[in-house]
């Protein structure tokens, strides 16, 4: 199923006329600070090789901004906006930082939204997400929303 979704994404990405986005400037603090769930500025990669660069994070509001480059064929970086939210840890339970972010695929016309939870490990940080991609053009009316899962890591 996941391969079928990826194949569909790749097909739609090549068939569309994407806008070539400029490469984002790297945040000056990216190299200085290690990426952690509560400090997300930096580069993240998913299991397919797509790259998410979070370039700004406001810890008071939880707002994040950055750029996203997919490995499925749409060239360049695309704008990313979202939120990081963490509640005070509850005793006796599992406590994780939650994320939600979206990417607007410009002239392709699609939008992808991810939601998930983040875990800080001893050697890397992992962000487990579910995503939905909504696209305006398809051969079938039942085929406008695709769904899947991604795991992003930042070594």
């Amino acid at each position: 199923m996941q391969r079928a979704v990826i194949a569909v994404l790749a097909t739609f990405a090549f068939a569309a006329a994407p806008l070539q986005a400029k490469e984002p400037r790297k945040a000056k603090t990216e190299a200085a600070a290690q990426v952690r769930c509560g400090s997300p500025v930096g580069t993240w990669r998913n299991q397919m090789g797509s790259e998410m660069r979070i370039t700004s994070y406001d810890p008071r509001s939880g707002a994040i901004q950055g750029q996203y480059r997919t490995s499925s064929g749409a060239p360049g970086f695309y704008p990313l906006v979202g939120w990081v939210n963490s509640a005070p840890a509850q005793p006796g339970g599992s406590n994780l930082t939650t994320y939600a972010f979206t990417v607007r695929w410009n002239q392709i016309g699609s939008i992808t939204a991810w939601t998930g939870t983040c875990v800080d490990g001893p050697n890397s940080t992992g962000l487990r997400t579910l995503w939905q991609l909504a696209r305006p053009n398809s051969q079938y009316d039942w085929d406008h929303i695709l769904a899947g899962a991604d795991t992003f890591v930042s070594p």
Side-chain angles (χ1 to χ4, degrees), residues 5-94:
V5 170
I6 292 167
V8 169
L9 283 173
T11 301
F12 117 85
F14 283 118
L19 175 66
Q20 183 73 15
K22 292 182 179 180
E23 278 235 4
R25 293 182 192 183
K26 290 188 178 183
K28 291 181 181 180
T29 59
E30 183 177 339
Q34 182 180 12
V35 175
R36 305 302 283 168
C37 294
S39 181
V41 172
T43 301
W44 303 70
R45 287 188 180 78
N46 72 8
Q47 73 282 358
M48 300 302 296
S50 295
E51 182 178 327
M52 171 174 57
R53 293 182 182 172
I54 297 177
T55 56
S56 71
Y57 167 57
D58 181 347
R60 289 182 295 148
S61 69
I64 59 174
Q65 291 186 347
Q67 302 285 327
Y68 191 90
R69 177 174 50 198
T70 182
S71 64
S72 68
F77 281 86
Y78 294 83
L80 174 145
V81 296
W83 303 97
V84 176
N85 199 9
S86 61
Q90 298 291 317
S94 176

Side-chain angles (χ1 to χ4, degrees), residues 55-150:
T55 56
S56 71
Y57 167 57
D58 181 347
R60 289 182 295 148
S61 69
I64 59 174
Q65 291 186 347
Q67 302 285 327
Y68 191 90
R69 177 174 50 198
T70 182
S71 64
S72 68
F77 281 86
Y78 294 83
L80 174 145
V81 296
W83 303 97
V84 176
N85 199 9
S86 61
Q90 298 291 317
S94 176
N95 301 288
L96 301 175
T97 303
T98 56
Y99 277 70
F101 54 94
T102 60
V103 171
R104 179 178 178 264
W105 301 103
N106 296 341
Q107 289 183 342
I108 296 170
S110 299
I111 296 173
T112 304
W114 289 260
T115 58
T117 56
C118 189
V119 177
D120 286 322
N123 298 318
S124 69
T125 295
L127 175 57
R128 294 176 298 208
T129 66
L130 296 176
W131 57 263
Q132 288 188 315
L133 179 142
R135 58 186 178 171
N137 302 306
S138 178
Q139 232 177 337
Y140 308 101
D141 66 346
W142 54 265
D143 193 36
H144 287 273
I145 299 175
L146 306 173
D150 280 325

